[in-house]
């Protein structure tokens, strides 16, 4: 079974530039999450999708972050414009059972904002 | 007070030691408890998953949940250098989003 795929693995941009991250979850998983993990901290949820609908985006900084999951499969997270404090690893996870919390993570996309 | 508290360490132990990793939490609605292992520059990998209170064993790993004390533990027996990683606890309940601790860095030295 293929795992969660993410790209790019690494990205370096200047502040105020834009960046997009892509995630393809495990086949058949209805729930998709985007987490932000700052160095030395645990993952913080940015947004949760159930199929192509948003379940929770209360911690997504909506003035600069956006995410979509148009066909209920893969997803894109965008940051525009980026700030220095956005430097982090962006983790995508998927779950086959929305109630259980068994999340399967991708390798992450490491963003450095200069 | 954070919803999930976890000592960041680092915790350094000799090979073969028994390791105890712990988390406390404040939300009594949490029902699902997970432990993830995260190697450097990798995504978290699910190690153990427990529903409600009790113990669960898988090889050298044992997870314990004490809901009355709002305290969960992960024990690693016969620790190996390959166990060196960051261990994240995570919890979920009802409509609450999965919430992670900050992780404990474990170093097992030969």
């Amino acid at each position: 079974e293929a795992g969660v795929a993410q790209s790019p693995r690494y990205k370096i941009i200047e502040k105020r530039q834009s960046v997009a991250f892509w995630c393809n979850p495990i086949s058949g998983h209805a729930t998709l999450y985007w987490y932000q993990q700052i160095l030395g901290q645990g993952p913080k949820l940015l947004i949760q999708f159930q199929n192509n609908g948003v379940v929770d985006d209360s911690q997504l900084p909506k003035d600069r972050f956006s995410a979509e999951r148009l066909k209920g499969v893969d997803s894109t997270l965008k940051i525009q414009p980026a700030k220095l404090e956005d430097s982090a690893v962006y983790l995508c996870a998927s779950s086959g059972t929305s109630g259980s919390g068994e999340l399967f993570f991708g390798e992450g996309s490491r963003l450095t904002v200069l | 007070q954070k919803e999930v508290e976890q000592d960041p360490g680092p915790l350094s132990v000799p090979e073969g030691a028994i390791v105890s990793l712990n988390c406390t939490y404040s939300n009594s609605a949490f029902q699902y408890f997970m432990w993830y292992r995260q190697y450097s520059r990798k995504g978290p990998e699910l190690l153990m998953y427990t529903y409600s209170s009790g113990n669960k064993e898988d090889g050298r790993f044992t997870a314990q949940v004490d809901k009355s004390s709002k305290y969960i533990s992960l024990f690693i027996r016969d620790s190996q250098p390959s166990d060196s990683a960051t261990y994240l606890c995570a919890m979920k309940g009802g409509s609450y989003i999965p919430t992670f601790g900050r992780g404990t860095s474990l170093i097992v030295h030969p």
Side-chain angles (χ1 to χ4, degrees), chain B residues 27-90:
Chain B
N27 191 339
S28 57
F30 288 144
Q31 298 173 292
Y32 303 96
F33 303 91
M34 288 75 66
W35 285 96
Y36 287 82
R37 178 174 61 196
Q38 187 173 27
Y39 291 115
S40 180
R41 298 185 176 272
K42 297 288 187 181
E45 169 196 13
L46 181 64
L47 266 183
M48 299 286 286
Y49 165 80
T50 310
Y51 173 71
S52 194
S53 284
N55 294 359
K56 186 173 184 178
E57 188 174 320
D58 184 1
R60 297 184 295 111
F61 299 90
T62 300
Q64 286 186 352
V65 175
D66 182 349
K67 290 190 72 178
S68 62
S69 301
K70 297 189 178 66
Y71 188 88
I72 69 170
S73 301
L74 177 70
F75 297 96
I76 308 174
R77 290 183 299 280
D78 188 25
S79 56
Q80 302 295 310
S82 58
D83 294 327
S84 298
T86 296
Y87 289 80
L88 298 156
C89 63

Side-chain angles (χ1 to χ4, degrees), chain A residues 29-74:
Chain A
H29 279 191
T31 309
L32 185 148
Y33 307 82
W34 282 102
Y35 279 85
Q36 179 192 58
Q37 187 175 26
I38 292 172
L39 186 65
Q41 299 182 20
K44 182 187 95 171
L45 182 73
L46 293 174
I47 189 167
Q48 176 184 346
F49 291 96
Q50 179 77 13
N51 296 308
N52 61 348
V54 176
V55 174
D56 190 313
D57 64 355
S58 58
Q59 298 185 87
L60 186 74
K62 297 180 185 64
D63 58 333
R64 298 183 301 106
F65 286 65
S66 64
E68 60 183 13
R69 192 184 184 200
L70 291 176
K71 296 183 179 179
V73 182
D74 57 350

